[in-house]
Each structure stands twice: as structure tokens, then as C-alpha cells.
Amino acid sequence: MAAQTRAVVSGQWLADAIRNNLVGSKLRILDSSWYLPKLKRDAKAEFAQKHIPGSSFFDLDECSDKSSAYDHMLPAPDHFSRYVGDLGIGNDTHVVVYDTSDFGSYSAPRVWWMFRLFGHNLVSVLDGGMKNWLADGHQVISEYQKLERSEFRASFNQAWVKSYEEVLENIRTKQVQVVDARSAGRFRGTEPEPRDDTLSGHFPGAINMPFITFLDASGKWLGLEDLAKLFREAEVDLQQPFWASCGSGVTACQVVLAAHLLGHPGVCVYDGSWTEWFKRASPEHVISEGKGK
């Protein structure tokens, strides 16, 4: 089925798949919602109240490196394998991810990227998320049935993950473009970061492309021409390597997905992103119109 390799699938496509009883070992749906603590939203509790029929909850904080000082950093491949296997996902399962954010897309592309990073390309993001699923009148339920465990074997594409040291070295060499997906205010240092222990700003050479600019007013993905125009206006050359960053590695994956839709897969992510950078960088590597470091 050609749609299985599409990075983004429509609500109608998913509704048809559910109606035709295609959800099972070959098709799994994941609510991958995650929210910053300041929003005071409990994604797991919201899933228990209502979710797309047949879906399971993917917990970004659970499926992460618990030993890291930073939030939801990538888990080890064997941890990822166990976690998604418990969700009934095997290596031949088409996975559709969505989230319940008011933007229409927020954390789902992070989970889309994680699957691809761990060697699983049969993964799609639901266009417009739960926001548009509800607006289009599709069914939601509260019942949840635990799925039978599957065997999942992860590989790991280390080259797609960038470290603090690599970003620091790139500031010196200027070899790679780095796109920051946070809002313009957080990037410039004129709006606060959502984490109390982190001030806003950016590292030298970063290019700001707020993730919400990739979405239309309804929260669905822009068409390819409009996406390409955004990269042109930001002076990001899609033909050249580039990396993506954000607050903590979540919305950076929107940049990865946008580039993927335009035929440029493999954009790398700085997993620690601004949260790590601010804590570790020297003051001259924190550029801000506000307080600085």
C-alpha cells in the first residue's frame, strides 16, 4: 500500500482504515502527546478520557534515557525495542502517530523521527492531529484494550543525532546550517523559556524557523510549495546538510519532517537542544536581546 510510506496521512485515510478493520498487527495508532509541565496538561489522563479508536499511548518521558540530566533524551535501542514491542508493534507494522495539541502537530513528529532513527520507516504522522480529527467529526472512544506484545528489533542511526560538542565545533567551522524551531521571541531572547532554570536566546549561527510556520491555520501541514518557500525565505539550502534544534529535541523534528516532505530526508537533530546548550555553553555562545547568560 503506497500510503504506508507516506510521511503524513490524512484523517480520512485513517478513518477509512479503522472502518475497514485494518488496525492490528500491521497497523498501529499511537497518541504521542507530550506537554511542558507549565501547561498543566496530563496527556496520559487525556488519552484515558478520549482517543482515536484502536490507539495506544506512547509516553515520551517513559521511552527515554532516564539517566540523562535532560528531559526525554533518546533511549537505548534495546529500550526502544522493548517499549514499542509492548505496544504491539513489530518491524512490519505501519505506525501512525498523532498528538492532541492545540497546534495540530507538536510532539508527534518527534515520535515519527524516533521510529525512523531506530530503523523503522513504516511510520506516518496524522495530518492535523486530534484537533482536526475532532473538527472533521471522526469518532473518539475512551475504551482501551491492551495489545498483544510483538517483537521489534531496533537498529540505530547514530549519525542522525548531534551532541553539544558537535554543535560547538560547528560554531567554529560553520560547516553545517542549524535551524532552531522555537518561537521568534524565545530565539531572540525577548520571550521567556518555559523552563524556569533556562533563559532564552540562541547559539551563534542558528537560523530561526518556528515550527508553527509549517502548519496552516487549521493545524494541517502546508503544501510543498509553501514549505519550500519558507526554507528559501530563511535562506536554508536544502541541498546542503543541516541540523535541527529547539527547546528539548521535540519540535526540532517538525523541521526534519518538513525537509523530508520536500525530498530531503536525514536532517539531524541536536537532542539536548537549547535546554542543554544554555546550561553548558559559555556566555559568549548564548546570544540574546534579553538578559543573556
Side-chain angles (χ1 to χ4, degrees), residues 184-242:
R186 287 171 63 188
F187 179 85
R188 288 167 49 197
T190 57
E191 288 175 10
E193 283 293 304
R195 294 171 175 85
D196 291 335
D197 59 353
T198 307
L199 297 176
S200 55
H202 62 273
F203 45 78
I207 302 163
N208 190 210
M209 293 186 74
F211 78 90
I212 57 169
T213 60
F214 299 129
L215 308 173
D216 68 18
S218 76
K220 291 183 179 178
W221 278 83
L222 294 176
L224 298 185
E225 283 186 22
D226 288 331
L227 286 177
K229 185 180 176 202
L230 288 174
F231 282 99
R232 279 197 308 273
E233 288 174 347
E235 298 183 358
V236 174
D237 185 352
L238 289 168
Q239 305 298 331
Q240 300 299 320
F242 74 94

Side-chain angles (χ1 to χ4, degrees), residues 22 51-52 87 98 106 125 156 210 242 251 272 282:
L22 297 180
H51 50 261
I52 293 173
L87 295 174
Y98 73 93
Y106 181 67
V125 172
F156 182 54
F242 74 94
T251 60
S282 56

